[in-house]
Amino acid sequence: MAMITDAHVLRPEFVPSDVVHRDSEVRHLSKALRPITDGEPGETALLGGPSGAGKTCIARFAVQRLRENALGINTQYVNCWEDYSRFKTLYRLLKGIDRAFDVHRQSTPKDELLERLRDHDGSPYVVVLDEADQLDDTGVLYDLYRTTGLTMVLIANRREDLFSRLDSRLVSRLQTTTHVRFEKYGFDALVSILEDRVRWGLRESAISTDQLQTIADDAAGDARVAITVLRTAARRADQDDADSITDEDVAEAIPEAKAEITQKSTRRLTDDQRTLYEIVTEHGEIAPGDLYERYTERVSSPRSKRMVRNYLRKLCHYNLLVAEGENRGRTYHSVS
DNA sequence: CCTCCACTGGAAGATCGGGAAG
DNA sequence: CTTCCCGATCTTCCAGTGGAGG
Protein backbone atom coordinates (compact mmCIF):
# COMPACT_ATOMS: atom_id res chain seq x y z
CA MET A 1 0.00 0.00 0.00
CA ALA A 2 1.41 3.30 -1.05
CA MET A 3 2.38 5.70 1.65
CA ILE A 4 1.57 8.78 -0.38
CA THR A 5 -2.17 9.00 -0.79
CA ASP A 6 -2.28 12.34 -2.59
CA ALA A 7 0.96 13.62 -4.09
CA HIS A 8 -0.78 16.77 -5.25
CA VAL A 9 -0.97 18.32 -1.78
CA LEU A 10 2.80 18.04 -1.37
CA ARG A 11 3.47 20.05 -4.49
CA PRO A 12 4.65 23.64 -4.09
CA GLU A 13 1.81 25.15 -6.10
CA PHE A 14 -0.92 23.43 -4.13
CA VAL A 15 -3.39 25.83 -2.54
CA PRO A 16 -5.34 24.42 0.40
CA SER A 17 -9.12 24.85 0.35
CA ASP A 18 -8.80 26.47 3.73
CA VAL A 19 -5.69 28.34 4.81
CA VAL A 20 -4.57 28.56 8.38
CA HIS A 21 -2.36 31.07 10.21
CA ARG A 22 -3.00 33.80 7.69
CA ASP A 23 -6.52 34.92 8.55
CA SER A 24 -5.79 38.61 8.89
CA GLU A 25 -3.80 38.70 5.65
CA VAL A 26 -6.62 36.94 3.81
CA ARG A 27 -9.18 39.36 5.24
CA HIS A 28 -7.03 42.34 4.35
CA LEU A 29 -6.59 41.22 0.76
CA SER A 30 -10.21 40.14 0.37
CA LYS A 31 -11.34 43.56 1.51
CA ALA A 32 -9.41 45.15 -1.35
CA LEU A 33 -11.04 42.80 -3.83
CA ARG A 34 -14.54 42.88 -2.39
CA PRO A 35 -15.87 45.82 -4.47
CA ILE A 36 -15.48 43.62 -7.54
CA THR A 37 -18.37 41.42 -6.41
CA ASP A 38 -20.56 44.53 -6.56
CA GLY A 39 -19.34 45.51 -10.00
CA GLU A 40 -17.06 48.22 -8.62
CA PRO A 41 -13.36 48.45 -9.42
CA GLY A 42 -11.15 46.57 -6.98
CA GLU A 43 -8.29 48.18 -5.16
CA THR A 44 -4.73 47.40 -6.21
CA ALA A 45 -3.14 45.24 -3.54
CA LEU A 46 0.50 44.87 -2.70
CA LEU A 47 1.78 41.79 -0.89
CA GLY A 48 5.26 41.92 0.61
CA GLY A 49 7.39 39.66 2.78
CA PRO A 50 10.10 37.00 2.67
CA SER A 51 9.89 33.93 0.47
CA GLY A 52 7.95 30.98 1.79
CA ALA A 53 5.76 33.24 3.94
CA GLY A 54 2.63 32.38 2.02
CA LYS A 55 2.20 35.41 -0.27
CA THR A 56 1.56 33.44 -3.44
CA CYS A 57 -0.62 30.92 -1.68
CA ILE A 58 -2.80 33.55 -0.04
CA ALA A 59 -3.11 35.55 -3.27
CA ARG A 60 -4.29 32.49 -5.15
CA PHE A 61 -6.58 31.51 -2.31
CA ALA A 62 -8.24 34.93 -2.07
CA VAL A 63 -8.67 35.18 -5.83
CA GLN A 64 -10.13 31.70 -5.97
CA ARG A 65 -12.60 32.51 -3.23
CA LEU A 66 -13.60 35.68 -5.02
CA ARG A 67 -14.40 33.64 -8.11
CA GLU A 68 -16.60 31.35 -6.08
CA ASN A 69 -18.53 34.27 -4.63
CA ALA A 70 -19.22 36.08 -7.86
CA LEU A 71 -19.88 34.95 -11.38
CA GLY A 72 -18.17 36.20 -14.48
CA ILE A 73 -14.86 37.19 -12.95
CA ASN A 74 -11.75 36.34 -14.94
CA THR A 75 -8.51 35.71 -13.11
CA GLN A 76 -4.96 34.97 -14.08
CA TYR A 77 -1.72 34.27 -12.25
CA VAL A 78 1.54 35.51 -13.78
CA ASN A 79 4.98 34.77 -12.48
CA CYS A 80 6.94 37.82 -13.62
CA TRP A 81 10.20 36.04 -13.04
CA GLU A 82 9.31 33.70 -15.86
CA ASP A 83 7.34 36.18 -17.94
CA TYR A 84 9.70 39.06 -17.26
CA SER A 85 9.17 41.15 -20.40
CA ARG A 86 6.29 43.39 -21.27
CA PHE A 87 5.36 41.16 -24.16
CA LYS A 88 5.38 37.94 -22.16
CA THR A 89 3.36 39.41 -19.32
CA LEU A 90 0.70 40.83 -21.63
CA TYR A 91 0.63 37.60 -23.60
CA ARG A 92 0.00 35.61 -20.45
CA LEU A 93 -2.78 38.01 -19.45
CA LEU A 94 -4.42 37.67 -22.84
CA LYS A 95 -4.26 33.91 -22.47
CA GLY A 96 -6.19 34.24 -19.22
CA ILE A 97 -9.14 35.65 -21.14
CA ASP A 98 -8.65 33.44 -24.21
CA ARG A 99 -7.61 36.25 -26.48
CA ALA A 100 -4.06 35.15 -27.25
CA PHE A 101 -5.02 32.71 -29.99
CA ASP A 102 -3.60 34.46 -33.05
CA VAL A 103 -0.76 36.43 -31.50
CA HIS A 104 2.50 35.57 -33.17
CA ARG A 105 5.63 37.00 -31.78
CA GLN A 106 6.56 39.22 -34.70
CA SER A 107 3.55 40.03 -36.78
CA THR A 108 1.84 41.89 -33.99
CA PRO A 109 1.78 45.66 -34.31
CA LYS A 110 3.29 47.52 -31.41
CA ASP A 111 1.16 47.39 -28.30
CA GLU A 112 -1.67 45.61 -29.98
CA LEU A 113 -1.51 43.31 -26.96
CA LEU A 114 -2.36 46.06 -24.51
CA GLU A 115 -5.16 47.33 -26.73
CA ARG A 116 -6.58 43.87 -26.97
CA LEU A 117 -6.52 43.55 -23.23
CA ARG A 118 -8.34 46.85 -22.85
CA ASP A 119 -10.86 45.92 -25.52
CA HIS A 120 -12.10 42.79 -23.83
CA ASP A 121 -15.72 42.39 -22.92
CA GLY A 122 -15.60 44.40 -19.72
CA SER A 123 -16.09 41.68 -17.14
CA PRO A 124 -13.74 42.13 -14.18
CA TYR A 125 -10.26 40.71 -14.52
CA VAL A 126 -8.19 40.06 -11.43
CA VAL A 127 -4.54 39.42 -12.12
CA VAL A 128 -1.88 38.25 -9.70
CA LEU A 129 1.57 39.48 -10.68
CA ASP A 130 4.00 37.44 -8.63
CA GLU A 131 7.60 38.65 -8.30
CA ALA A 132 6.54 41.91 -9.89
CA ASP A 133 9.89 43.50 -9.03
CA GLN A 134 11.49 41.17 -11.54
CA LEU A 135 9.86 42.77 -14.57
CA ASP A 136 12.47 44.37 -16.76
CA ASP A 137 9.95 46.88 -18.00
CA THR A 138 7.85 48.05 -15.08
CA GLY A 139 6.03 50.43 -17.42
CA VAL A 140 3.63 47.60 -18.11
CA LEU A 141 2.40 47.95 -14.52
CA TYR A 142 1.45 51.54 -15.16
CA ASP A 143 -0.44 50.54 -18.28
CA LEU A 144 -2.23 47.79 -16.42
CA TYR A 145 -3.06 50.14 -13.58
CA ARG A 146 -4.79 52.37 -16.10
CA THR A 147 -6.74 49.54 -17.67
CA THR A 148 -10.38 49.66 -16.62
CA GLY A 149 -11.86 46.49 -15.25
CA LEU A 150 -8.45 45.12 -14.34
CA THR A 151 -7.41 44.70 -10.73
CA MET A 152 -3.82 43.92 -9.84
CA VAL A 153 -2.48 41.93 -6.93
CA LEU A 154 1.24 42.69 -6.88
CA ILE A 155 3.65 40.43 -5.04
CA ALA A 156 7.24 41.36 -4.22
CA ASN A 157 9.66 40.27 -1.54
CA ARG A 158 10.53 43.80 -0.59
CA ARG A 159 8.23 46.68 -1.36
CA GLU A 160 11.11 49.09 -1.89
CA ASP A 161 12.63 46.80 -4.53
CA LEU A 162 9.45 47.23 -6.50
CA PHE A 163 8.88 50.92 -5.79
CA SER A 164 12.42 51.94 -6.66
CA ARG A 165 11.85 50.72 -10.21
CA LEU A 166 8.40 52.13 -10.79
CA ASP A 167 7.25 55.24 -12.57
CA SER A 168 6.85 57.95 -9.90
CA ARG A 169 3.23 58.53 -10.91
CA LEU A 170 2.48 54.92 -10.15
CA VAL A 171 4.40 54.98 -6.87
CA SER A 172 2.32 57.84 -5.52
CA ARG A 173 -0.89 56.13 -6.52
CA LEU A 174 0.13 52.82 -5.01
CA GLN A 175 1.09 54.54 -1.77
CA THR A 176 -2.55 54.75 -0.76
CA THR A 177 -3.65 51.27 -1.80
CA THR A 178 -3.81 48.07 0.21
CA HIS A 179 -0.50 46.80 1.55
CA VAL A 180 -0.40 43.39 3.14
CA ARG A 181 2.76 42.49 5.01
CA PHE A 182 3.73 38.86 5.50
CA GLU A 183 6.11 37.70 8.22
CA LYS A 184 7.98 34.44 8.25
CA TYR A 185 5.99 31.57 9.73
CA GLY A 186 6.72 30.76 13.34
CA PHE A 187 7.89 27.30 14.29
CA ASP A 188 4.49 26.14 15.53
CA ALA A 189 2.70 27.49 12.48
CA LEU A 190 5.11 25.66 10.21
CA VAL A 191 4.63 22.39 12.08
CA SER A 192 0.88 22.75 11.83
CA ILE A 193 1.09 23.47 8.09
CA LEU A 194 3.11 20.29 7.68
CA GLU A 195 0.63 18.35 9.80
CA ASP A 196 -2.18 19.42 7.48
CA ARG A 197 -0.28 18.30 4.42
CA VAL A 198 0.47 14.97 6.07
CA ARG A 199 -3.20 14.49 6.93
CA TRP A 200 -4.30 15.25 3.38
CA GLY A 201 -1.54 13.57 1.44
CA LEU A 202 0.07 10.75 3.41
CA ARG A 203 -1.12 7.59 5.05
CA GLU A 204 -1.80 7.94 8.73
CA SER A 205 1.24 7.74 11.03
CA ALA A 206 3.60 8.02 8.09
CA ILE A 207 5.67 10.56 9.94
CA SER A 208 6.08 11.52 13.57
CA THR A 209 5.63 14.92 15.17
CA ASP A 210 9.29 14.85 16.12
CA GLN A 211 10.24 14.46 12.49
CA LEU A 212 7.96 17.29 11.41
CA GLN A 213 9.59 19.48 14.02
CA THR A 214 12.99 18.63 12.63
CA ILE A 215 11.83 19.69 9.18
CA ALA A 216 10.20 22.87 10.46
CA ASP A 217 13.31 23.76 12.40
CA ASP A 218 15.50 23.39 9.35
CA ALA A 219 13.17 25.42 7.14
CA ALA A 220 13.54 28.48 9.37
CA GLY A 221 10.11 29.93 8.69
CA ASP A 222 10.02 29.14 4.98
CA ALA A 223 7.00 27.01 4.18
CA ARG A 224 8.13 26.27 0.65
CA VAL A 225 11.37 24.74 1.91
CA ALA A 226 9.56 22.80 4.60
CA ILE A 227 7.05 21.30 2.18
CA THR A 228 9.77 20.44 -0.34
CA VAL A 229 11.68 18.56 2.34
CA LEU A 230 8.52 16.74 3.41
CA ARG A 231 7.80 15.74 -0.18
CA THR A 232 11.37 14.53 -0.73
CA ALA A 233 11.34 12.48 2.48
CA ALA A 234 7.98 10.95 1.62
CA ARG A 235 9.16 10.07 -1.86
CA ARG A 236 12.25 8.36 -0.46
CA ALA A 237 10.22 6.26 1.94
CA ASP A 238 7.70 5.48 -0.78
CA GLN A 239 10.41 4.22 -3.11
CA ASP A 240 11.63 1.90 -0.36
CA ASP A 241 8.09 0.55 0.00
CA ALA A 242 8.22 1.55 3.65
CA ASP A 243 5.22 2.05 5.91
CA SER A 244 6.57 5.23 7.38
CA ILE A 245 9.28 7.84 6.98
CA THR A 246 12.46 7.11 8.92
CA ASP A 247 14.70 9.65 10.63
CA GLU A 248 17.25 8.81 7.99
CA ASP A 249 14.80 9.72 5.23
CA VAL A 250 14.32 13.13 6.84
CA ALA A 251 18.03 13.67 7.40
CA GLU A 252 18.82 12.90 3.79
CA ALA A 253 15.83 14.74 2.40
CA ILE A 254 17.07 18.04 3.81
CA PRO A 255 20.19 18.34 1.62
CA GLU A 256 18.49 16.49 -1.22
CA ALA A 257 15.65 18.98 -1.35
CA LYS A 258 18.12 21.85 -1.46
CA ALA A 259 20.14 20.17 -4.20
CA GLU A 260 16.96 19.64 -6.15
CA ILE A 261 16.14 23.32 -5.98
CA THR A 262 19.69 24.28 -7.04
CA GLN A 263 19.76 21.81 -9.90
CA LYS A 264 16.43 22.99 -11.15
CA SER A 265 17.71 26.55 -11.44
CA THR A 266 21.13 25.66 -12.85
CA ARG A 267 19.59 23.91 -15.81
CA ARG A 268 18.20 27.14 -17.17
CA LEU A 269 21.52 28.98 -17.26
CA THR A 270 23.45 29.94 -20.38
CA ASP A 271 27.11 28.95 -20.79
CA ASP A 272 28.29 32.39 -19.69
CA GLN A 273 26.08 32.31 -16.62
CA ARG A 274 27.21 28.83 -15.70
CA THR A 275 30.86 29.85 -16.06
CA LEU A 276 30.31 32.72 -13.62
CA TYR A 277 28.52 30.40 -11.24
CA GLU A 278 31.41 27.92 -11.38
CA ILE A 279 34.06 30.56 -10.81
CA VAL A 280 32.31 31.88 -7.73
CA THR A 281 31.70 28.37 -6.42
CA GLU A 282 35.37 27.46 -6.88
CA HIS A 283 36.53 30.55 -5.03
CA GLY A 284 33.83 30.55 -2.37
CA GLU A 285 34.07 34.32 -2.31
CA ILE A 286 35.36 36.70 -4.96
CA ALA A 287 35.49 40.44 -5.71
CA PRO A 288 33.71 41.68 -8.85
CA GLY A 289 36.91 42.79 -10.59
CA ASP A 290 38.64 39.44 -10.09
CA LEU A 291 35.52 37.62 -11.11
CA TYR A 292 35.27 39.45 -14.40
CA GLU A 293 38.96 38.83 -15.10
CA ARG A 294 38.65 35.08 -14.50
CA TYR A 295 35.54 35.07 -16.65
CA THR A 296 37.26 36.69 -19.62
CA GLU A 297 40.08 34.15 -19.34
CA ARG A 298 37.70 31.25 -19.41
CA VAL A 299 35.27 31.98 -22.23
CA SER A 300 36.09 32.47 -25.90
CA SER A 301 34.01 35.59 -26.50
CA PRO A 302 33.26 37.35 -23.22
CA ARG A 303 30.24 39.61 -22.81
CA SER A 304 30.60 43.16 -21.56
CA LYS A 305 30.94 44.02 -17.88
CA ARG A 306 27.44 45.42 -17.88
CA MET A 307 25.99 42.21 -19.24
CA VAL A 308 27.93 40.19 -16.68
CA ARG A 309 26.33 42.31 -13.97
CA ASN A 310 22.93 41.37 -15.36
CA TYR A 311 23.91 37.70 -15.25
CA LEU A 312 25.10 38.03 -11.67
CA ARG A 313 21.86 39.66 -10.66
CA LYS A 314 20.00 36.76 -12.16
CA LEU A 315 22.20 34.23 -10.38
CA CYS A 316 21.56 36.01 -7.09
CA HIS A 317 17.85 35.94 -7.67
CA TYR A 318 17.95 32.21 -8.34
CA ASN A 319 19.66 31.91 -4.95
CA LEU A 320 22.67 30.36 -6.63
CA LEU A 321 24.91 33.20 -5.48
CA VAL A 322 24.85 35.80 -2.76
CA ALA A 323 25.99 39.38 -3.26
CA GLU A 324 27.31 40.92 -0.08
CA GLY A 325 28.08 44.59 0.44
CA GLU A 326 27.40 47.64 -1.68
CA ASN A 327 29.38 49.33 -4.40
CA ARG A 328 33.06 49.05 -3.87
CA GLY A 329 32.78 46.68 -0.96
CA ARG A 330 30.81 44.04 -2.80
CA THR A 331 31.81 40.40 -3.03
CA TYR A 332 30.00 37.44 -4.53
CA HIS A 333 29.68 34.21 -2.54
CA SER A 334 28.41 30.78 -3.28
CA VAL A 335 25.44 29.84 -1.10
CA SER A 336 25.66 27.51 1.94
C1' DC B 1 37.13 64.47 7.58
C1' DC B 2 37.89 64.41 2.28
C1' DT B 3 38.82 62.58 -2.17
C1' DC B 4 39.19 58.84 -5.23
C1' DC B 5 37.48 55.27 -7.85
C1' DA B 6 35.48 50.39 -8.21
C1' DC B 7 31.22 49.07 -8.68
C1' DT B 8 26.17 49.31 -9.50
C1' DG B 9 22.17 49.76 -12.28
C1' DG B 10 19.30 52.97 -15.41
C1' DA B 11 18.82 54.62 -20.14
C1' DA B 12 19.43 54.60 -24.93
C1' DG B 13 20.75 52.64 -28.96
C1' DA B 14 22.98 48.73 -31.82
C1' DT B 15 22.64 44.03 -33.31
C1' DC B 16 20.63 39.56 -33.93
C1' DG B 17 17.19 36.27 -35.37
C1' DG B 18 12.99 35.12 -37.30
C1' DG B 19 8.40 35.62 -39.19
C1' DA B 20 5.48 38.43 -42.33
C1' DA B 21 4.73 41.39 -46.16
C1' DG B 22 5.94 42.99 -50.60
C1' DC C 1 14.39 36.98 -52.98
C1' DT C 2 14.44 41.64 -50.10
C1' DT C 3 12.51 44.65 -46.77
C1' DC C 4 10.32 45.58 -42.64
C1' DC C 5 9.16 44.94 -37.90
C1' DC C 6 9.30 42.94 -33.66
C1' DG C 7 11.27 41.03 -29.16
C1' DA C 8 15.46 39.66 -27.05
C1' DT C 9 20.03 40.39 -26.13
C1' DC C 10 23.92 42.98 -25.67
C1' DT C 11 26.91 47.23 -25.68
C1' DT C 12 27.94 51.94 -24.63
C1' DC C 13 27.55 55.64 -21.73
C1' DC C 14 26.91 57.57 -17.41
C1' DA C 15 25.24 59.30 -12.72
C1' DG C 16 25.19 57.83 -8.18
C1' DT C 17 27.20 55.52 -4.22
C1' DG C 18 29.91 54.37 -0.35
C1' DG C 19 34.29 51.86 1.10
C1' DA C 20 39.36 52.48 0.97
C1' DG C 21 43.05 55.18 1.96
C1' DG C 22 45.03 59.34 2.38
Side-chain angles (χ1 to χ4, degrees):
Chain A
M1 178 176 168
M3 197 186 61
I4 300 175
T5 56
D6 187 359
H8 184 60
V9 308
L10 300 176
R11 300 209 51 78
E13 66 276 9
F14 173 76
V15 179
S17 57
D18 196 11
V19 299
V20 288
H21 311 296
R22 287 293 186 243
D23 287 344
S24 71
E25 289 85 352
V26 170
R27 272 201 304 275
H28 199 171
L29 175 56
S30 295
K31 196 177 157 201
L33 302 179
R34 183 149 313 129
I36 298 168
T37 46
D38 306 326
E40 306 282 320
E43 206 175 297
T44 305
L46 210 78
L47 313 191
S51 58
K55 302 185 295 296
T56 305
C57 179
I58 265 53
R60 299 185 100 143
F61 175 78
V63 166
Q64 178 60 33
R65 212 173 57 174
L66 180 73
R67 270 175 80 110
E68 287 162 6
N69 291 337
L71 295 171
I73 296 177
N74 296 302
T75 64
Q76 177 70 322
Y77 170 85
V78 184
N79 185 322
C80 300
W81 173 247
E82 280 157 24
D83 294 327
Y84 50 84
S85 69
R86 177 190 184 83
F87 181 87
K88 284 179 175 165
T89 300
L90 291 174
Y91 185 82
R92 178 78 57 190
L93 292 179
L94 283 173
K95 264 190 155 174
I97 49 174
D98 294 325
R99 298 215 47 198
F101 42 87
D102 58 347
V103 174
H104 304 296
R105 196 161 65 85
Q106 273 79 22
S107 64
T108 323
K110 186 139 180 72
D111 254 351
E112 142 132 25
L113 271 62
L114 180 62
E115 275 163 43
R116 235 197 241 217
L117 197 56
R118 287 178 169 167
D119 277 352
H120 95 288
D121 61 13
S123 58
Y125 195 15
V126 181
V127 305
V128 178
L129 299 174
D130 205 347
E131 309 211 47
D133 55 323
Q134 291 304 314
L135 286 167
D136 62 24
D137 171 22
T138 51
V140 69
L141 295 179
Y142 186 68
D143 292 329
L144 292 174
Y145 182 84
R146 304 192 325 131
T147 299
T148 31
L150 190 140
T151 305
M152 290 194 286
V153 177
L154 299 170
I155 305 180
N157 281 18
R158 284 150 33 95
R159 196 184 67 177
E160 52 273 30
D161 285 349
L162 179 62
F163 275 22
S164 67
R165 308 190 50 237
L166 293 183
D167 183 304
S168 58
R169 288 168 299 180
L170 187 54
V171 170
S172 63
R173 287 175 199 189
L174 290 183
Q175 220 94 51
T176 60
T177 62
T178 298
H179 292 201
V180 188
R181 276 207 49 79
F182 287 72
E183 304 296 337
K184 276 179 180 293
Y185 285 110
F187 177 77
D188 293 341
L190 217 45
V191 171
S192 127
I193 287 170
L194 289 173
E195 279 169 349
D196 282 343
R197 302 295 167 110
V198 169
R199 193 162 57 245
W200 299 326
L202 298 184
R203 200 138 58 87
E204 211 174 332
S205 73
I207 186 163
S208 72
T209 307
D210 265 7
Q211 290 171 321
L212 292 181
Q213 287 175 347
T214 305
I215 295 173
D217 191 49
D218 177 77
D222 187 328
R224 191 182 323 177
V225 170
I227 291 166
T228 305
V229 172
L230 176 63
R231 184 179 70 244
T232 308
R235 201 171 48 206
R236 286 184 68 91
D238 206 48
Q239 276 163 6
D240 296 346
D241 260 337
D243 288 339
S244 60
I245 295 169
T246 65
D247 287 350
E248 197 195 358
D249 288 327
V250 173
E252 288 180 21
I254 288 172
E256 197 180 311
K258 283 171 186 163
E260 185 182 306
I261 293 165
T262 303
Q263 201 193 348
K264 209 170 154 189
S265 6
T266 321
R267 259 203 310 269
R268 295 166 67 174
L269 301 179
T270 65
D271 288 350
D272 292 85
Q273 290 162 354
R274 189 169 296 105
T275 303
L276 289 163
Y277 172 68
E278 283 166 7
I279 294 168
V280 176
T281 309
E282 284 162 25
H283 285 74
E285 173 177 4
I286 190 167
D290 286 348
L291 174 56
Y292 188 73
E293 206 175 310
R294 297 279 177 285
Y295 162 77
T296 51
E297 287 163 6
R298 209 174 285 196
V299 299
S300 48
S301 55
R303 305 285 137 224
S304 68
K305 281 187 176 155
R306 184 66 186 87
M307 202 56 211
V308 164
R309 286 205 290 278
N310 285 343
Y311 292 157
L312 288 168
R313 208 148 95 91
K314 194 169 203 163
L315 290 167
C316 289
H317 185 85
Y318 274 132
N319 275 321
L320 293 169
L321 300 181
V322 178
E324 200 169 81
E326 305 281 303
N327 299 324
R328 232 182 139 153
R330 176 165 288 191
T331 55
Y332 291 97
H333 304 238
S334 50
V335 285
S336 80

